[in-house]
Amino acid sequence: MRLQTRIILSMIFFFLLFVLLGAATTRQLLGPVLLAAEEEIARINLMRVASALQRESEHLSILITDWAHWDETYRFVQDRNRRFQVTNLSAATFSKTRLDLMLFINTEGEVIWARQQDHLTGQDLELQRLPVTRWPTDHPLLNFSDPQEIHSGILATRLGPLQIAASPILTSMGHGPRQGTMIIGRLLGGNEINRLIEQTRVNFHLWLAEERALPPESLRLTNYLETDLSFPELRALQQSPEFERILADTADLSPPEFFRDPDTSRMLNVFTHFPDIYGQPSLLLEVSFPRILQQLSQRISLIVFSCLAVVGALFSLAHLGIIRRLITRPIGQLQAHISEINADESLSGRLQLDGEDEIGRLAQTYNRMLERLEVDREKRTQAEAELRRNERKFRTLSIRDDLTGLYNARYLYQGLRRHFEKCTAANRPLALLFIDIDRFKQVVDTHGHILGSQAIAEMAQTIAGCLSKPAFAVSYGGDEYVVVLPGADRKAAIAKADEMRARIAQTTFLAEHGLSVKLTCSFGVASYPEDAGDLKSLLAIADKSLFYVKSRGRDGVA
């Protein structure tokens, strides 16, 4: 049967039905459904506020990651240098980041540096819930199951709710060992709450649980969403995917409780307990909004009661019901399914709409389209993964020497420039070693080019075995190598060169090929700022030092 024919027959049936039922059933059906929808709006508003608070905690987690995973912070906890405090821990930092609390705690629980300060007025604060001088090492905020883990949430304090985040202190690369814990916080005062109200367009307040009691029972409203009333519209609302998603998103909150505003019946107040950072219900979230649907219900009831005697009104109501059942609801299911796909990007679900009418055929076509998209996505994912693997492989090949496995000359100038700029900015020394294998042509002439290349590779591994990060070695071409030593002065560089000479002297080369070849190397040393003040001069001096050693008989350091 065609959809148009079904609509016409249904309209005639409901025309006669509504004439018989009249206004007696209209009020009973409309009231609870609108009240249930009103309470659903309240849940949605709660979810929006809870999501906004969660987003604020996530932003705080991002901010603390930038601070706690930073080489400067890592060094500050180790040496408590004054320069870091003056540069980074000023009142302007609190004002710019809107922070009211900042703590640095070492691994022994000792507070290295702490400040509790109103970021708006600059006045000192006393939160009391946080230790000032020493923390117990088993405190939940100081313990992390993973080095990258961040603790974030809301803490109830004497001055009100405090958004707080704690992170282990690591290097800029996220490496350890962990030097302690950094904690930051932001009070959810009037300005912060007003800012969140502007974002969510929801009027709310976050109370400490001991400061705010629920309204009296006389103002409590029936929770229609939790009752088992036999209204089809209410059952359809409770069983809808959107309603189930709302319940899942607010699972961390306690069941909402609805109350009339004591001053006016046109306002609805909703309360729920909000968990703090320790998972305790120490906060009370209050959301207030006008009861527009209640007012709308009263007006609609008055209009319906006045117009039920008019055939046109009955016909319109019947028509709306038919459209809702045969068209709006299936299309709504299609829209909800599309929204789910947009939310979780999963193409595995299928639309369950049976029927041979136009909408049923539309659903079948839609499901076939999803199947094709799912196959295309899988192929694209595999192709992207392969592309990323090849990209990493080619990036490595572009900066590594095939024979020795060391960095190549192309990487030397990039890496050297980067470390030189860091050392210059931090006022730290940097040293270069130019290394050349002595009389290597005799090895090639005696044993051939293949074994000569093997000797070059073994020498590279011997040199690399003497280094630790951030130092690195470069195959500069043939039997020449360059070693970059960030943080090393000339004395340390000479000591490292002597260490390499000793290691080379103890090494027997080409032993795997049944040979016993002994090699020596000449070392040219140059350091910043002792020998040169710029990168070009540093390279030139290291090269001249190497030739000086060569001219003085080789196997030496200069």
Side-chain angles (χ1 to χ4, degrees):
M1 182 181 297
R2 290 179 57 82
L3 180 61
Q4 181 177 357
T5 304
R6 294 169 58 188
I7 292 177
I8 293 174
L9 295 177
S10 299
M11 288 175 59
I12 296 174
F13 172 77
F14 279 104
F15 175 83
L16 298 175
L17 180 62
F18 274 98
V19 170
L20 297 174
L21 295 178
T25 57
T26 301
R27 186 177 183 85
Q28 295 178 0
L29 292 175
L30 185 61
V33 172
L34 289 179
L35 288 175
E38 188 173 64
E39 292 172 1
E40 182 190 18
I41 292 174
R43 288 181 184 265
I44 293 175
N45 286 334
L46 282 175
M47 180 183 67
R48 291 170 63 187
V49 173
S51 298
L53 293 173
Q54 179 63 30
R55 285 196 302 271
E56 290 298 309
S57 295
E58 292 172 357
H59 294 163
L60 211 60
S61 297
I62 295 174
L63 177 61
I64 196 173
T65 301
D66 292 338
W67 277 81
H69 296 184
W70 187 24
D71 290 341
E72 296 294 328
T73 305
Y74 194 87
R75 284 191 293 270
F76 170 66
V77 176
Q78 293 175 326
D79 59 16
R80 310 186 188 188
N81 63 85
R82 179 68 178 171
R83 185 177 62 83
F84 181 89
Q85 299 181 34
V86 173
T87 305
N88 301 294
L89 303 180
S90 63
T93 299
F94 283 74
S95 176
K96 182 178 179 180
T97 58
R98 307 198 325 274
L99 293 177
D100 302 303
L101 168 71
M102 186 177 291
L103 293 169
F104 295 89
I105 305 166
N106 65 17
T107 54
E108 304 298 327
E110 180 186 2
V111 177
I112 300 302
W113 190 91
R115 180 171 292 174
Q116 302 175 16
Q117 173 183 300
D118 190 319
H119 71 272
L120 294 176
T121 64
Q123 297 180 349
D124 291 337
L125 303 174
E126 293 184 7
L127 299 176
Q128 293 186 348
R129 289 291 301 274
L130 303 174
V132 178
T133 58
R134 179 169 292 277
W135 289 56
T137 56
D138 60 349
H139 194 282
L141 293 182
L142 304 186
N143 288 273
F144 305 89
S145 60
D146 183 86
Q148 304 299 325
E149 183 183 8
I150 305 294
H151 295 318
S152 64
I154 300 178
L155 179 67
T157 71
R158 184 179 65 86
L159 300 180
L162 174 74
Q163 279 193 319
I164 191 169
S167 171
I169 297 176
L170 305 172
T171 67
S172 299
M173 299 300 294
H175 298 156
R178 170 189 166 196
Q179 293 300 309
T181 303
M182 181 179 179
I183 299 176
I184 61 176
R186 179 182 297 140
L187 280 171
L188 290 175
N191 290 332
E192 291 297 323
I193 293 294
N194 290 335
R195 184 174 61 84
L196 293 177
I197 289 176
E198 291 179 1
Q199 289 181 6
T200 60
R201 305 298 181 184
V202 177
N203 188 25
F204 76 96
H205 195 90
L206 189 61
W207 305 90
L208 301 183
E210 66 262 16
E211 293 182 355
R212 180 70 161 109
L214 294 177
E217 287 295 318
S218 59
L219 298 176
R220 185 184 295 273
L221 295 174
T222 301
N223 189 346
Y224 283 97
L225 295 178
E226 301 294 338
T227 58
D228 189 21
L229 299 178
S230 57
F231 295 104
E233 293 86 351
L234 184 55
R235 290 199 304 272
L237 175 63
Q238 292 173 320
Q239 297 170 2
S240 67
E242 181 65 15
F243 182 71
E244 294 177 357
R245 183 184 66 80
I246 293 172
L247 292 181
D249 288 343
T250 58
D252 290 338
L253 306 178
S254 64
E257 299 183 68
F258 304 90
F259 295 88
R260 293 193 307 273
D261 192 283
D263 299 325
T264 174
S265 61
R266 298 188 176 213
M267 294 295 294
L268 179 65
N269 296 331
V270 189
F271 294 85
T272 182
H273 282 92
F274 193 89
D276 62 11
I277 193 171
Y278 304 122
Q280 301 300 318
S282 58
L283 302 167
L284 188 65
L285 177 60
E286 178 184 3
V287 174
S288 303
F289 65 97
R291 303 185 66 183
I292 299 176
L293 291 182
Q294 183 196 41
Q295 303 169 33
L296 181 63
S297 173
Q298 296 172 353
R299 293 182 182 181
I300 291 178
S301 297
L302 179 60
I303 294 174
V304 170
F305 292 155
S306 303
C307 298
L308 275 177
V310 182
V311 175
L314 295 174
F315 181 84
S316 298
L317 290 174
H319 182 265
L320 289 176
I322 295 168
I323 293 298
R324 180 178 180 276
R325 180 174 179 80
L326 300 181
I327 299 178
T328 307
R329 183 179 296 174
I331 293 179
Q333 293 178 6
L334 175 61
Q335 181 182 4
H337 195 269
I338 294 174
S339 299
E340 290 179 4
I341 293 176
N342 184 58
D344 57 20
E345 298 184 357
S346 174
L347 300 175
S348 59
R350 296 294 179 263
L351 187 62
Q352 303 298 326
L353 283 178
D354 299 327
E356 296 299 324
D357 54 25
E358 290 84 348
I359 293 182
R361 290 194 291 271
L362 173 63
Q364 296 171 11
T365 303
Y366 173 76
N367 288 336
R368 289 194 294 270
M369 180 188 68
L370 287 180
E371 293 175 359
R372 291 195 298 270
L373 288 175
E374 189 173 16
V375 173
D376 292 343
R377 172 186 282 185
E378 180 65 25
K379 293 180 179 178
R380 185 187 65 186
T381 301
Q382 295 175 357
E384 290 175 350
E386 181 64 24
L387 181 61
R388 286 192 294 269
R389 286 194 296 269
N390 290 335
E391 182 182 0
R392 288 192 296 267
K393 177 181 178 181
F394 294 146
R395 186 183 297 115
T396 300
L397 291 175
S398 67
I399 62 173
R400 290 285 182 178
D401 180 68
D402 293 338
L403 174 61
T404 63
L406 300 181
Y407 290 113
N408 56 24
R410 177 187 302 172
Y411 180 81
L412 169 64
Y413 297 103
Q414 298 174 0
L416 179 58
R417 185 179 295 106
R418 182 172 65 253
H419 283 287
F420 185 81
E421 292 173 353
K422 287 184 178 180
C423 290
T424 303
N427 196 24
R428 297 174 60 218
L430 180 143
L432 284 182
L433 301 180
F434 272 32
I435 306 171
D436 184 74
I437 302 176
D438 297 329
R439 299 180 178 88
F440 186 71
K441 186 176 183 301
Q442 296 178 5
V443 176
V444 175
D445 292 341
T446 303
H447 302 290
H449 289 281
I450 294 179
L451 292 180
S453 297
Q454 179 62 33
I456 290 175
E458 292 180 10
M459 179 65 74
Q461 297 307 311
T462 303
I463 293 173
C466 298
L467 301 178
S468 59
K469 292 184 177 180
F472 63 93
V474 175
S475 177
Y476 198 59
D479 55 347
E480 296 180 351
Y481 309 90
V482 177
V483 174
V484 180
L485 301 171
D489 56 13
R490 181 174 184 80
K491 181 179 180 181
I494 292 175
K496 178 60 69 175
D498 289 335
E499 177 188 347
M500 291 181 182
R501 284 183 63 214
R503 182 77 62 86
I504 293 170
Q506 296 170 2
T507 302
T508 299
F509 295 88
L510 301 179
E512 294 182 356
H513 300 274
L515 301 176
S516 179
V517 176
K518 290 292 186 177
L519 297 175
T520 62
C521 290
S522 299
F523 294 79
V525 181
S527 66
Y528 164 86
E530 296 176 67
D531 298 324
D534 59 80
L535 192 57
K536 183 177 180 181
S537 301
L538 191 67
L539 290 166
I541 291 174
D543 192 40
K544 290 180 180 179
S545 298
L546 174 62
F547 277 99
Y548 175 77
V549 174
K550 287 285 193 180
S551 65
R552 297 296 298 268
R554 300 178 177 85
D555 190 19
V557 179

